[in-house]
Amino acid sequence: GAIMNFDLFMTGVKIGLSVAMPVGPICLLCIRKSLSDTIAVGIALALGVATADMIYAILGVVSITTLQSWLNQYAYILELLGAAVIIYLGISTLKNRIPNNAASCTTESLVQTYFSIIAITLTSPMTIALFASIIAGTSISVDNHVSLGFLAAGVFVSTAVWFISLSAVVIYFKKWFNQ
């Protein structure tokens, strides 16, 4: 009943934070965009990442065996791709000076940012690998759609709060990055 659903929500929170907190390509991209844009862009990024993570949580719980066999088959290639993305983002972040003026934000650009980060997150090898390993290592028992919804909501909320907080902190300390 309600206690089981709360436990699934909290499990979703733990999974969401476990995937969101490591500094990988998605995190670096969000930091970089937060440095060069406004908090609205940071929120759009956070909600997009949270949406993609929620999708992976649902897919992972529903089809863990298929996902695990695919990951095992392509693990080395995914690791190489993830490493290349991290290296590229790190080098480009260090090379480019952060602009002092934030770009103008329109509703269209925020919607575009939201959907772009969903696509980027869904194709991120690190995100795929983290979700697969965390969900495979967790004995999650979801017996109905409501329970799955609580798990997915926990992932969404924790990821969104993490990335909104990250964007806010980065924007707050932006002045020190330009010195």
Side-chain angles (χ1 to χ4, degrees):
I3 292 175
M4 185 179 141
N5 287 338
F6 179 75
D7 287 344
L8 282 170
F9 178 82
M10 293 310 296
T11 299
V13 167
K14 292 175 200 171
I15 291 170
L17 289 175
S18 297
V19 174
M21 291 179 81
V23 178
I26 302 302
C27 187
L28 290 174
L29 179 63
C30 288
I31 290 170
R32 180 165 173 72
K33 290 289 287 177
S34 293
L35 283 170
S36 63
D37 281 304
T38 64
I39 190 66
V41 171
I43 292 170
L45 290 167
L47 295 177
V49 173
T51 300
D53 284 359
M54 181 181 66
I55 291 168
Y56 267 130
I58 292 168
L59 291 174
V61 169
V62 171
S63 61
I64 186 64
T65 55
T66 304
L67 184 60
Q68 189 63 41
S69 65
W70 183 82
L71 274 175
N72 289 339
Q73 186 178 2
Y74 296 104
Y76 184 71
I77 293 169
L78 292 172
E79 289 169 3
L80 287 176
L81 288 171
V85 169
I86 291 171
I87 291 168
Y88 170 77
L89 288 172
I91 291 171
S92 65
T93 298
L94 292 174
K95 284 176 47 178
N96 296 324
R97 192 150 171 78
I98 306 304
N100 287 328
N101 298 346
S104 63
C105 285
T106 63
T107 303
E108 293 81 18
S109 69
L110 293 175
V111 170
Q112 182 180 7
T113 298
Y114 171 79
F115 284 108
S116 296
I117 197 67
I118 289 173
I120 292 167
T121 304
L122 287 175
T123 58
S124 168
M126 186 170 173
T127 303
I128 296 168
L130 281 171
F131 262 106
S133 63
I134 290 169
I135 290 177
T138 307
S139 57
I140 300 171
S141 175
V142 176
D143 55 358
N144 59 51
H145 295 325
V146 173
S147 297
L148 181 58
F150 275 94
L151 178 80
V155 170
F156 181 87
V157 168
S158 61
T159 303
V161 168
W162 171 257
F163 277 103
I164 289 170
S165 301
L166 178 66
S167 292
V169 167
V170 167
I171 289 169
Y172 180 77
F173 289 107
K174 183 191 305 192
K175 62 184 170 191
W176 289 315
F177 288 101
N178 280 330
Q179 296 178 357

